[in-house]
Amino acid sequence: MIHLTEAELAQAFPFYLALNPEGQIYKAGVSLCKAFPGLAAGQYFEDCFAIVRPKVATVQELAAQHDVALVVQARQQGALRLRGNILVRAEGLLLLLSPVLTSSEEMQAAGLGMGDFAFHDASGDMLLMHRTNQMSLADANRLASRLRNKSKQLDTVMRLSPDGLAYFGADGVLNYANPSFQRLLGLSTEQLDHLQRRDFEVWLQTAQAPTYPSLAQMLDTHFPLHLSFNVPYRRVIELQGATADEEGGVVLYLRDITAEVEANRLKTEFLTMAAHELRTPLASIRGFSELLVSRPVPAAMQQDMLATINRQSVNMTELIEDLLSLSKLDELTRDKLKLANHDLRELLEMAVSSSFAGADDFLVTRDYQVEQCLVQVDRHVMLKLFSSLFSNVIKFSPEHKQVDLQLRPQMRGDAAGVLLSIRDHGIGMKPEQLEHAFERFYRADHSGHQPGTGLGLAMSKDIVRLHAGDIALDSRPAAGVTVSIWLPQSSSAVSACPTEHCY
């Protein structure tokens, strides 16, 4: 600490203020008193000045901030601002201040002249330099700490971002790439190491995205590019870029839009399908109704026409009900289900009775290897699931009209449950059809001979998963389809049947 006599202090810092521990002024520099004629000993500092920096409210708090620069503003006399340093002493605080003036007019308006400012002698210069160095070092340390924190925050955001980000410097070398950039493109760490921008473009053009035009074109037009990749899996990536600095560095931004593209594709297919499915019954209903209205029709033909109208109206109703059911299912969560213990055998028999009521030529076989089959399900939703599956059985089994039902206990890890198998003997499915069978609006038959929306299996999968279960398909062409549904057992155990056929 550098010590000055009172005379040296007054000469070196004519705008100083001395405060006691309670925050009262007990001494002030001559020039400060000239700038503020009303300033007097005994006044409280906070009544005369507002503390601008640091952000504290009282003199007592100011004492704890002695290592920072001080900025205060007068509450009167033209709101003159002063800046300087804080010294903490046994008798209180010593504020070494100087007015902030930018012109001679401001100096004159404050009632000051050049003679009111210090001609720093060696002691004053030494003290000022010492305090200035301390303040600069403290400010530099604070700035470095803030930069480190900001850097850590930004690094965390970049690491956790699902979108890819990369920076190529002015020399064309990859300087930074976050984990998502590497994941979205399927590149290894070795491939990214010292990657050149031109090599990156060649890789995009030749390896996996042959329709990629050029990075330069994208930067010029500012339009994002859509890149299609098939390795290691099919995906569509949106690529955007921008010049990052005056030196020519480039930032690339990648976003996986596969789900959006697939949703648009499914929407287009659905609109096409819905238009076709609605147009077909509407054409029949309109055509036959016009005939019935416009001309006499024999009674026998009338019955055929009315039966066709009725059948086509049923098809339209089913289509609309499927769409409404899908909308409701999207909003349904497990906590909204009306869960209760039900015997799965009884639910199956109810669905069989209603679904095959008009199909007397269908043979339904049962192999129930459980005596008691309690599951916790929503009765209404589960009956809808079975009705939808049995509807497919009837629809795609034009010749071999038989369906085999089987129930048997099955463990999944530590969870006890029951496995339901529904096997038909119909036309079956090809492997490529099985792969997409649970997708919404997917229809294995594109001929239009079979009515439907392509929503049945998709909704079945959603229903089973809402009940914490699992659903799978197994099929071969001309060998029928087997639907396997596993559901966890209820609190009551699923007990094995002592005989082969229990029902």
Side-chain angles (χ1 to χ4, degrees), residues 319-330:
L319 172 62
I320 294 171
E321 286 180 351
D322 277 352
L323 295 178
L324 291 175
S325 297
L326 179 65
S327 175
K328 293 178 181 177
L329 197 57
D330 282 337

Side-chain angles (χ1 to χ4, degrees), residues 378-426:
D378 185 314
R379 177 178 177 276
H380 173 75
V381 175
M382 195 57 60
L383 286 175
K384 187 170 186 62
L385 164 67
F386 294 149
S387 297
S388 175
L389 294 176
F390 289 149
S391 174
N392 284 343
V393 168
I394 296 172
K395 190 186 304 180
F396 295 106
S397 301
E399 298 180 4
H400 303 286
K401 299 180 182 298
Q402 177 177 328
V403 58
D404 305 321
L405 306 180
Q406 185 187 71
L407 279 174
R408 60 186 177 88
Q410 187 180 79
M411 298 291 294
R412 291 285 177 92
D414 296 331
V418 61
L419 183 67
L420 164 66
S421 296
I422 302 174
R423 178 173 179 262
D424 65 48
H425 298 264

